Amino acid sequence: MKTLILYLTNDGQTKKIAEKLASHIDHATEVLSLREQAGISPEILASYDQIVIGASIRYGHFDKLLEQFIEKHFALLNQKRTSFFSVNLTARKATRNTPQTNTYTRKLLARIKWQPTVVEVFAGALFYPRYTLLDRLCIQLIMKITKGDTDASKEYEYTDWQQVQRFGKQLSKVC
């Protein structure tokens, strides 16, 4: 059994989640940046028994590379056991942390041709001190509107690592 985890990350949290997922899968698993592997061949993808794709939201949008990759490979993806996980700050709220209640994930799945076998939604992280001034101010405004954390001197990690572990164990049970 071989699993491939591809991820797209803005600030590193999606990569961190992908790596943690891999540590909970009890068979051969490879973790690769989709940005670095965008040209991955269908033959290489076909060599994996399971493909997991994770992507984060920035300013209300997934990276365009995600949908380009899906459009190119949806036929192959739909023939395999596949999973998708979304990472976003709205998932920090209990009413927005499932594929059915997370607007970003729900809208993406409605407009793409790929239908993942399993879908999960994880809360991301805020790294205020690492952001540029403009990003920090924009994200603070969004967080203020959504009643989130706005202290720009701090970093906030909302990811539920037990949820990540459960998902990893679920991905192990595909044999």
Side-chain angles (χ1 to χ4, degrees), residues 32-137:
L32 299 172
S33 164
L34 184 54
R35 190 167 321 287
E36 295 170 13
Q37 300 296 322
I40 195 168
S41 73
E43 295 78 22
I44 291 174
L45 287 174
S47 72
Y48 290 91
D49 301 296
Q50 175 175 237
I51 300 170
V52 180
I53 301 174
S56 58
I57 292 290
R58 186 62 164 251
Y59 297 126
H61 300 282
F62 286 104
D63 190 308
K64 290 178 183 180
L65 185 58
L66 174 67
E67 290 191 55
Q68 291 168 358
F69 180 84
I70 291 168
E71 181 61 30
K72 182 176 180 181
H73 297 288
F74 75 89
L76 177 100
L77 292 170
N78 282 333
Q79 294 172 6
K80 294 194 159 287
R81 165 114 177 145
T82 59
S83 299
F84 174 70
F85 69 91
S86 168
V87 179
N88 57 77
L89 290 173
T90 59
R92 74 187 189 283
K93 297 181 177 185
T95 59
R96 300 282 187 257
N97 66 359
T98 69
Q100 297 77 24
T101 62
N102 188 271
T103 304
Y104 303 120
T105 304
R106 196 175 64 243
K107 286 181 177 180
L108 173 73
L109 294 173
R111 74 175 173 263
I112 61 174
K113 297 175 186 173
W114 170 44
Q115 294 305 304
T117 313
V118 182
V119 179
E120 191 61 77
V121 176
F122 299 115
L126 271 176
F127 301 122
Y128 281 123
R130 303 181 201 184
Y131 300 150
T132 65
L133 177 61
L134 182 59
D135 279 341
R136 188 168 44 250
L137 292 172

Side-chain angles (χ1 to χ4, degrees), residues 103-172:
T103 304
Y104 303 120
T105 304
R106 196 175 64 243
K107 286 181 177 180
L108 173 73
L109 294 173
R111 74 175 173 263
I112 61 174
K113 297 175 186 173
W114 170 44
Q115 294 305 304
T117 313
V118 182
V119 179
E120 191 61 77
V121 176
F122 299 115
L126 271 176
F127 301 122
Y128 281 123
R130 303 181 201 184
Y131 300 150
T132 65
L133 177 61
L134 182 59
D135 279 341
R136 188 168 44 250
L137 292 172
C138 289
I139 293 169
Q140 274 182 304
L141 177 62
I142 293 166
M143 290 302 283
K144 183 175 180 142
I145 291 167
T146 61
K147 299 178 178 23
D149 296 303
T150 58
D151 183 343
S153 68
K154 296 182 180 178
E155 293 188 349
Y156 302 91
E157 187 173 70
Y158 303 105
T159 306
D160 178 343
W161 294 107
Q162 290 180 337
Q163 179 190 11
V164 173
Q165 180 179 4
R166 285 190 301 272
F167 187 50
K169 298 228 180 275
Q170 182 181 2
L171 296 173
S172 288

